[in-house]
């Protein structure tokens, strides 16, 4: 568990350092700068206002915007408990930012995912919008959720996610989620949903403990 208070300093990027950033670096430095309305990519004024409020809250809470060992551990526990290859603790900033991440072993033959992804890709945007858990034991069982960039890129067939809601403000900070290339039996969906919702509570407890430090 980390002992130092997290801060918002980001690693240097290719543009500033002259060398390629490491694979798990968070890029770009504007991770905490919302896009201008002209570059919104179809997002509504309400969505942009929510993003601005979220980014301001992340700043005020002093949350990490890069790889965090404590959140990595929670992501790993969640994935292992569920028997899934991937687990994420995900802040919705300029990009989806996986401050906690669990990947399969590098020699497993499965894709290794990075630390960021477009805010519009995957199923986590739906979790943020609906503000409640989304259990997809087989993403292809629903036409609405079957077509997805993550399916095309990683070949994912099952997804379970839950929101990270800041109790005092009601702002959704992001999500926790697990994904896997294998579909899961419908009868196992409740157990898997309970794992991600429990991890969501653990992440918010960890955030509360950090922000209550003197």
């Amino acid at each position: 568990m980390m002992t130092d208070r997290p801060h918002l300093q980001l690693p240097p990027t290719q543009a500033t350092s002259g060398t390629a950033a490491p694979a798990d670096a968070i890029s770009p430095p504007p991770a905490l700068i919302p896009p201008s309305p002209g570059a919104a990519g179809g997002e509504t004024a309400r969505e942009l206002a929510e993003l601005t409020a979220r980014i301001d809250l992340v700043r005020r809470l002093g949350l990490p915007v890069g790889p965090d060992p404590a959140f990595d551990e929670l992501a790993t526990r969640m994935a292992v408990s569920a028997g899934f290859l991937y687990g994420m603790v995900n802040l919705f900033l300029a990009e989806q930012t996986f401050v906690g991440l669990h990947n399969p072993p590098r020699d497993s033959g499965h894709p290794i995912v990075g630390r960021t992804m477009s805010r519009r890709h995957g199923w986590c945007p739906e979790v943020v919008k609906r503000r409640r858990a989304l259990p997809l034991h087989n993403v292809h069982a629903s036409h609405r959720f079957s077509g997805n960039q993550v399916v095309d890129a990683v070949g994912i067939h099952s997804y379970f996610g839950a929101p990270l809601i800041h109790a005092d403000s009601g702002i959704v900070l992001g999500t926790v989620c697990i994904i896997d290339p294998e579909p899961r039996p419908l009868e196992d969906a409740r157990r898997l949903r309970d794992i991600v919702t429990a991890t969501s509570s653990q992440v918010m407890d960890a955030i509360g403990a950090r922000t209550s430090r003197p």
Side-chain angles (χ1 to χ4, degrees):
M1 185 70 80
M2 294 184 67
T3 56
D4 296 331
R5 184 179 178 85
H7 54 83
L8 296 180
Q9 183 164 356
L10 296 172
T13 64
Q14 187 172 356
T16 58
S17 68
T19 59
D24 63 352
I26 299 301
S27 62
L32 292 180
I33 302 176
S36 64
E43 292 179 300
T44 67
R46 176 178 176 179
E47 288 171 331
L48 289 173
E50 290 173 349
L51 174 61
T52 299
R54 182 183 306 122
I55 288 174
D56 180 64
L57 179 60
V58 167
R59 284 198 185 103
R60 287 189 284 111
L61 294 176
L63 297 183
V65 294
D68 182 283
F71 292 144
D72 280 349
E73 182 180 349
L74 285 170
T76 295
R77 276 194 226 155
M78 175 175 58
V80 170
S81 295
F84 274 50
L85 289 182
Y86 304 89
M88 292 90 168
V89 177
N90 179 11
L91 296 182
F92 261 60
L93 306 174
E95 298 178 286
Q96 294 185 61
T97 302
F98 305 137
V99 295
L101 178 63
H102 175 79
N103 267 307
R106 290 192 175 271
D107 61 357
S108 67
H110 295 285
I112 302 300
V113 303
R115 291 276 180 172
T116 62
M117 186 169 70
S118 166
R119 276 198 323 279
R120 306 189 72 81
H121 291 177
W123 299 273
C124 285
E126 178 69 17
V127 174
V128 169
K129 182 178 179 180
R130 63 193 267 146
R131 300 173 62 91
R132 65 180 187 274
L134 177 62
L136 298 175
H137 71 285
N138 182 351
V139 300
H140 295 302
S142 167
H143 178 73
R144 178 182 177 189
F145 296 113
S146 181
N148 196 290
Q149 296 88 348
V150 177
V151 169
D152 296 338
V154 190
I156 295 305
H157 283 73
S158 53
Y159 168 94
F160 289 78
L164 297 170
I165 302 177
H166 184 247
D168 291 343
S169 66
I171 292 173
V172 181
L173 292 169
T175 67
V176 299
C177 69
I178 49 175
I179 57 177
D180 198 85
E182 295 295 329
R184 292 304 194 268
L186 179 59
E187 55 268 25
D188 204 24
R190 182 184 295 273
R191 179 186 71 87
L192 297 170
R193 183 203 61 190
D194 290 347
I195 287 173
V196 295
T197 55
T199 303
S200 172
S201 296
Q202 291 166 7
V203 170
M204 293 312 301
D205 287 346
I207 289 173
R210 292 182 182 208
T211 56
S212 66
R213 293 174 187 167

